[in-house]
């Protein structure tokens, strides 16, 4: 009996092993396997097609491309000029809004001087920076001499450089003296009467405040921003920060 039982068990084990071998030689679809693998490889994962300009790709000109920290627009687009008579803007504080989205050391205001009047008599001309609350944060010395020479983009240093936190600021320009209309001119963004579309004081992008000023006031009431002079073609000057 012992010999007979052993023989039967051996036969059953051999039959079971044979059935397992046959099962391993076919795929789940009944096709023979090649290369001895036990299952078909999964298909490769789908790969998304990159979208031009998306994510961290090219996003157009940036101030840092020209060793600047911020600007009111690409100077390549500042092809127009703004010109106004002395009677129109002398003594007015002209404001151009600039929004900083990161902390920025501010030492110079770049101005695009498009044309000069060699016969002009200028004095008490300044650039400055106001915060969103209307407080004067920094200003230049009298820039009258720089407005008489070299019609180029030029940096005009602040008397006391400062570090600007992210937020809204206004670059202020004050001109005084006499000059020929269409001679003393500034590079601008080319924007027209629509420059303040969707905006109201105290957040106008281009505006003027006050008259009869010979220096930049310590504070401005930005709720008094006016567009009457802006709508005649003045302002939209191009500025940059370094």
């Amino acid at each position: 009996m012992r010999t007979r039982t052993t023989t039967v068990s051996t036969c059953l084990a051999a039959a079971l092993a044979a059935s397992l071998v046959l099962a391993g030689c076919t795929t789940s679809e009944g096709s023979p396997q090649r290369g001895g693998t036990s299952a078909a490889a999964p298909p490769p994962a789908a790969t998304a097609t990159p979208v031009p300009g998306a994510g961290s790709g090219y996003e157009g000109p940036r101030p840092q491309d020209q060793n600047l920290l911020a600007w009111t627009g690409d100077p390549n687009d500042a092809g127009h000029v703004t010109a106004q008579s002395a009677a129109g803007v002398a003594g007015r504080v002209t404001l151009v809004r600039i929004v900083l989205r990161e902390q920025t050391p501010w030492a110079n205001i770049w101005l695009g001087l498009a044309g000069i009047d060699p016969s002009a008599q200028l004095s008490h001309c300044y650039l400055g920076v106001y915060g969103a609350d209307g407080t004067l944060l920094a200003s230049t010395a009298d820039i009258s001499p720089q407005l008489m020479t070299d019609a180029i983009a030029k940096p005009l240093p602040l008397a006391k450089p400062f570090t600007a936190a992210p937020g809204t600021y206004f670059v202020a320009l004050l001109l005084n003296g006499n000059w020929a209309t269409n001679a003393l001119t500034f590079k601008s963004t080319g924007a027209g009467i629509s420059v303040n579309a969707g905006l109201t004081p105290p957040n106008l992008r281009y505006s003027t405040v006050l008259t009869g000023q010979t220096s930049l006031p310590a504070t401005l009431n930005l709720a008094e921003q006016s567009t009457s002079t802006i709508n005649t073609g003045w302002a939209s000057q191009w500025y940059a920060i370094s």
Side-chain angles (χ1 to χ4, degrees), residues 200-236:
T200 57
N203 295 307
L204 294 181
R205 190 172 182 182
Y206 301 99
S207 65
T208 63
V209 292
L210 302 176
T211 59
Q213 303 299 302
T214 56
S215 62
L216 291 174
T219 59
L220 295 175
N221 182 356
L222 296 176
E224 297 177 351
Q225 287 177 324
S226 171
T227 61
S228 58
T229 304
I230 302 303
N231 292 344
T232 66
W234 176 242
S236 77

Side-chain angles (χ1 to χ4, degrees), residues 47-60:
T47 302
T49 302
V51 178
S56 59
Y58 179 73
E59 297 178 359

Side-chain angles (χ1 to χ4, degrees), residues 27-218:
T27 66
S28 59
E29 296 178 352
S31 301
Q33 285 281 1
R34 291 177 185 151
T37 57
S38 60
T47 302
T49 302
V51 178
S56 59
Y58 179 73
E59 297 178 359
R62 297 183 180 182
Q64 290 76 13
D65 297 340
Q66 295 189 208
N67 298 315
L68 301 170
L69 300 177
W71 57 28
T72 55
D74 182 357
N76 188 54
D77 298 328
H80 294 69
V81 297
T82 53
Q84 187 64 263
S85 67
V89 300
R92 295 181 183 271
V93 179
T94 300
L95 300 174
V96 175
R97 192 185 73 179
I98 185 168
V99 179
L100 302 180
R101 292 176 171 81
E102 60 185 13
Q103 184 168 287
T104 304
W106 198 331
N108 301 284
I109 298 174
W110 284 73
L111 177 148
L113 188 60
I116 61 173
D117 177 5
S119 300
Q121 296 179 333
L122 303 177
S123 64
H124 300 96
C125 298
Y126 302 93
L127 282 169
V129 184
Y130 285 88
D133 63 352
T135 300
L136 181 63
L137 302 174
S139 63
T140 65
D142 189 346
I143 61 172
S144 296
Q146 289 92 329
L147 298 179
M148 295 291 294
T149 60
D150 300 327
I152 59 174
K154 57 180 66 179
L156 300 168
L158 296 173
K160 292 184 178 180
F162 71 105
T163 298
T168 298
Y169 297 85
F170 295 89
V171 176
L173 171 66
L174 177 63
L175 300 175
N176 278 291
N178 295 293
W179 62 88
T181 305
N182 295 324
L184 177 61
T185 56
F186 302 90
K187 300 297 287 185
S188 74
T189 61
I193 199 170
S194 61
V195 293
N196 289 306
L199 299 173
T200 57
N203 295 307
L204 294 181
R205 190 172 182 182
Y206 301 99
S207 65
T208 63
V209 292
L210 302 176
T211 59
Q213 303 299 302
T214 56
S215 62
L216 291 174

